[in-house]
């Protein structure tokens, strides 16, 4: 995905890191880059807001259930696959 505007950090790179950003798993430098990008790119901000809402919904309804260890990697792989298909 790209909004068509030039950014220091590419839209696809930001969206690939959005779940890690939401989970607090990024370095301070990556967090700062993503914050700047989201401040200036409304399409990515909308995607971020959607991902944040999905994460909150899953946490609300599934927060008590144990999660299989490989689920995160499977979900992220599927998201990457869908994004790739949509980009083509």
């Amino acid at each position: 995905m790209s909004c068509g505007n030039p950014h220091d950090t590419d839209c696809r790179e930001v969206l690939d890191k959005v779940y890690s950003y939401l989970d607090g798993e990024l370095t301070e430098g990556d967090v700062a880059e993503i914050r700047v990008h989201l401040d200036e790119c409304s399409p990515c901000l909308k995607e971020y807001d959607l991902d944040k809402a999905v994460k909150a919904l899953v946490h609300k309804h599934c927060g008590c259930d144990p999660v299989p260890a490989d689920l995160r990697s499977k979900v992220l792989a599927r998201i990457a696959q869908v994004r790739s298909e949509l980009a083509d």
Side-chain angles (χ1 to χ4, degrees), residues 1 3 7-8 22 29 32 35-38 40-41 46-47 67 71-73 79:
M1 174 187 161
C3 66
H7 300 285
D8 289 339
L22 286 168
R35 283 186 183 153
V36 167
H37 185 94
L38 293 175
E40 60 188 30
C41 183
K46 287 178 186 175
E47 182 72 24
V67 178
L71 178 62
R72 177 182 167 82
S73 62
I79 289 170

Side-chain angles (χ1 to χ4, degrees), residues 26-79:
L26 298 178
T27 65
E28 288 182 32
D30 285 339
V31 167
E33 285 179 7
I34 289 175
R35 283 186 183 153
V36 167
H37 185 94
L38 293 175
D39 285 344
E40 60 188 30
C41 183
S42 64
C44 286
L45 181 59
K46 287 178 186 175
E47 182 72 24
Y48 164 78
D49 287 341
L50 175 63
D51 291 345
K52 185 176 176 182
V54 167
K55 183 175 174 64
L57 183 65
V58 168
H59 178 74
K60 179 180 177 182
H61 293 284
C62 304
C64 319
D65 299 334
V67 178
D70 64 337
L71 178 62
R72 177 182 167 82
S73 62
K74 287 180 181 179
V75 169
L76 291 175
R78 180 66 179 134
I79 289 170

